[in-house]
Amino acid sequence: MSKSYRVAILGATGAVGTELLELLESRNFPVRELKLLASERSVGRSLRFKGEDLPVELVSDRTLENLDLVLASAGGSTSKTWAAVAVEKGAVVIDNSSAFRMNPEIPLVVPEVNPLAAANHKGIIANPNCTTILMSVAIWPLHQISPIKRIVVSTYQSASGAGAKAMAEVKTQASAILQGQQPVTEVLPYPLAFNLFPHNSALNNLGYCEEEMKMVNETRKIFNDPKIRITATCIRVPVLRAHSEAINLEFENPFSPDTARKILSRSPGVKLVEDWERNYFPMPMEATYQDEVLVGRIRQDISHPCGLELWLSGDQIRKGAALNAVQIAELLVEKNLLKPEKTYVSTEK
């Protein structure tokens, strides 16, 4: 990484945006110049980067000029408005929203899984959904040994997936309940403190919510395997910033738990966490602020000879969003792919 780059964070004051800022510094990404961009309500704030207070600027045609890289985490509508502008001005956009993930012309990348897909970018690379990233990192090494035929996943998703305001709301609700008061809900549809509920994204005509269908469709795209059968149930739980997932895998052939442990113990982005005597396995509290996806409780599915069960916890803000985006950026730098080789192709379908 001998070169340095002009970088912008779009959505710099949000939970993922501030994590991106910290990761660029802690991982020593080669930043020559850094712009912090956000909506009008955040203008006037400043954030610290490498000992310097940087102002938050309004995203505009002007502030998107003369950039090499834009790390976007400001929501789908904002990305649809500004990603094309940034690319037309010469930048590569790594987008954390759902705006471009299923566009066939735009790579959807998890560096531990499909790094070669990044080479096909035309200016935009999509960051997958948090639950999809965590699951992909954990099961891809096993899929490489024996193809997975079917995935049944249940998620236990933290408040951070709904943003910094949702995290603050859970804390306020917990305090209110402990004082015998009624919890107030403004960000989330129902009280989350001391409670849980199915993910509140829109339902389709089959009864699956958007979050569940993201896991289905994104995993198939990342694995480049449309034949994998996937079903998901996504639940919001009273945890601040780390998701957990219970995953049942059906392989073409029997897959022993010991073999799975050996593979995952040396797989990138994974940390094996198992102590059967203590009944100690991955927990969201211990996954918080960790780069690795914690995987454990690997066991044979007693209902199917080719079935395997595993459990994981991973930091939603970090590997589930910001870290994956920075890793994509590092991959582009390493492979000299930061400049788009082709002109921007419209993402409107």
Side-chain angles (χ1 to χ4, degrees):
M1 293 188 179
S2 56
K3 296 180 181 179
S4 58
Y5 300 88
R6 299 162 298 182
V7 181
I9 298 175
L10 176 56
T13 59
V16 176
T18 55
E19 197 79 9
L20 286 166
L21 187 67
E22 189 276 327
L23 286 166
L24 290 176
E25 180 169 347
S26 64
R27 294 174 71 89
N28 199 29
F29 189 84
V31 177
R32 182 196 319 169
E33 177 188 347
L34 181 62
K35 289 184 179 181
L36 305 181
L37 306 179
S39 63
E40 190 170 0
R41 65 178 177 271
S42 295
V43 174
R45 293 182 57 183
S46 64
L47 299 173
R48 202 159 184 80
F49 180 71
K50 292 188 174 181
E52 182 181 356
D53 290 325
L54 301 181
V56 177
E57 303 178 71
L58 180 67
V59 58
S60 66
D61 284 51
R62 179 187 62 80
T63 53
L64 287 172
E65 291 177 351
N66 301 316
L67 293 170
D68 301 306
L69 173 67
V70 176
L71 299 168
S73 188
S77 60
T78 300
S79 291
K80 287 178 180 178
T81 299
W82 295 110
V85 176
V87 173
E88 287 166 358
K89 292 179 179 295
V92 173
V93 176
I94 300 174
D95 183 62
N96 196 58
S97 78
S98 61
F100 308 118
R101 289 175 185 158
M102 296 314 299
N103 188 302
E105 297 176 338
I106 294 177
L108 184 66
V109 177
V110 178
E112 294 90 345
V113 179
N114 62 335
L116 296 180
N120 298 321
H121 80 82
K122 300 174 183 178
I124 298 175
I125 297 176
N127 212 30
N129 191 50
C130 45
T131 51
T132 306
I133 292 173
L134 300 177
M135 182 174 73
S136 296
V137 170
I139 69 174
W140 175 254
L142 307 178
H143 183 64
Q144 294 297 95
I145 302 300
S146 179
I148 297 169
K149 294 175 60 179
R150 184 169 186 253
I151 302 168
V152 180
V153 56
S154 298
T155 70
Y156 306 78
Q157 297 182 218
S158 61
S160 60
K165 290 182 179 178
M167 296 169 71
E169 181 169 277
V170 172
K171 293 179 182 179
T172 302
Q173 289 174 350
S175 177
I177 291 170
L178 290 172
Q179 296 178 58
Q181 302 169 2
Q182 282 293 111
V184 175
T185 59
E186 296 177 349
V187 180
L188 297 166
Y190 313 108
L192 187 57
F194 304 104
N195 192 30
L196 56 80
F197 48 83
H199 199 281
N200 58 293
S201 52
L203 297 170
N204 65 17
N205 59 357
L206 296 175
Y208 281 75
C209 69
E210 285 182 357
E211 188 80 358
E212 292 158 352
M213 294 310 301
K214 287 176 185 177
M215 297 196 75
V216 173
N217 296 323
E218 292 177 20
T219 303
R220 288 173 174 164
K221 181 176 179 178
I222 295 164
F223 281 28
N224 192 28
D225 189 347
K227 294 183 180 180
I228 296 181
R229 291 175 289 156
I230 306 171
T231 185
T233 301
C234 295
I235 306 296
R236 187 78 74 190
V237 297
V239 173
L240 284 182
R241 59 172 282 163
H243 289 352
S244 297
E245 303 180 17
I247 303 173
N248 179 283
L249 303 173
E250 179 187 338
F251 295 90
E252 291 187 353
N253 301 295
F255 203 128
S256 79
D258 284 341
T259 299
R261 289 187 190 96
K262 290 176 182 177
I263 294 167
L264 292 175
S265 67
R266 59 176 185 264
S267 297
V270 173
K271 182 179 179 181
L272 189 63
V273 178
E274 288 190 327
D275 186 334
W276 290 86
E277 290 185 1
R278 292 197 297 142
N279 202 4
Y280 172 78
F281 303 106
M283 293 180 280
M285 183 176 291
E286 295 191 350
T288 297
Y289 299 115
Q290 299 300 308
D291 290 348
E292 297 87 359
V293 179
L294 309 186
V295 181
R297 203 159 184 251
I298 303 167
R299 63 198 191 279
Q300 174 70 46
D301 177 356
I302 60 174
S303 73
H304 197 294
C306 298
L308 198 67
E309 303 267 7
L310 60 84
W311 169 259
L312 67 79
S313 293
D315 190 306
Q316 183 273 329
I317 300 176
R318 208 165 181 92
K319 181 55 184 171
L323 176 60
N324 199 75
V326 172
Q327 287 176 311
I328 294 171
E330 292 170 342
L331 178 66
L332 296 181
V333 170
E334 178 187 351
K335 302 297 184 183
N336 198 27
L337 295 169
L338 198 49
K339 281 292 185 182
E341 295 183 0
K342 302 177 183 179
T343 56
Y344 173 76
V345 177
S346 172
T347 58
E348 294 298 324
K349 293 294 178 185

